[in-house]
Amino acid sequence: MAHHPDLLELLTDERAEAERLVAAYEATRDPQRRAALAAELATGLERHALAEGHALHPAVRRVLPDGDRLVTAARRRWEETAATVRELRAVEPDSAAARQRMSALLDQVREHAAREEAEVFAPLRAQLGRRELRALGAEAARWLTDG
């Protein structure tokens, strides 16, 4: 039987993948490879935001007492991240500006992950059962796959 990750596992895995892509970007000097990695990262982050918006955020609003505030703050942070992604796409992949944008993007992903783990994931784990988290994981997986 295949393991179907729950929502929180899936989103955590997606963040780890983003960090892996950044590390691969930093490890290569090949401009074409950097461009491909930056594009893959940007697409992944956009799909991650869609998955959160369609699967995580409704659950947060429904289950957590301060869910509206948490979702509003997460969306504000995503707008900052989306701006960094647009800036990254607009610069030469091997430029100092691209390296700076990639570093900023990694910082944003890590800050988002830390906040979400403390403020959202832990409380959701306490409030939602494994079955519901898996159902939400399936919903998020559709957005991650199909965008």
Side-chain angles (χ1 to χ4, degrees), residues 4-6 8 27 30 34-35 38 46 59 61 71 80 90-92 106 111-112 117 124 126 140 144:
H4 299 287
D6 74 29
L8 308 179
D30 177 6
R34 281 189 162 198
E46 288 164 347
R61 287 184 191 278
V71 168
E80 293 170 8
V91 297
E92 289 297 317
L106 181 57
E111 178 190 351
H112 174 75
E117 182 61 42
L124 276 184
L144 290 167

Side-chain angles (χ1 to χ4, degrees), residues 59-82:
V60 170
R61 287 184 191 278
R62 179 175 49 85
V63 174
L64 301 182
D66 56 347
D68 286 335
R69 178 192 63 79
L70 292 169
V71 168
T72 299
R75 286 187 174 167
R76 194 172 324 116
R77 286 191 305 275
W78 166 247
E79 286 305 318
E80 293 170 8
T81 301

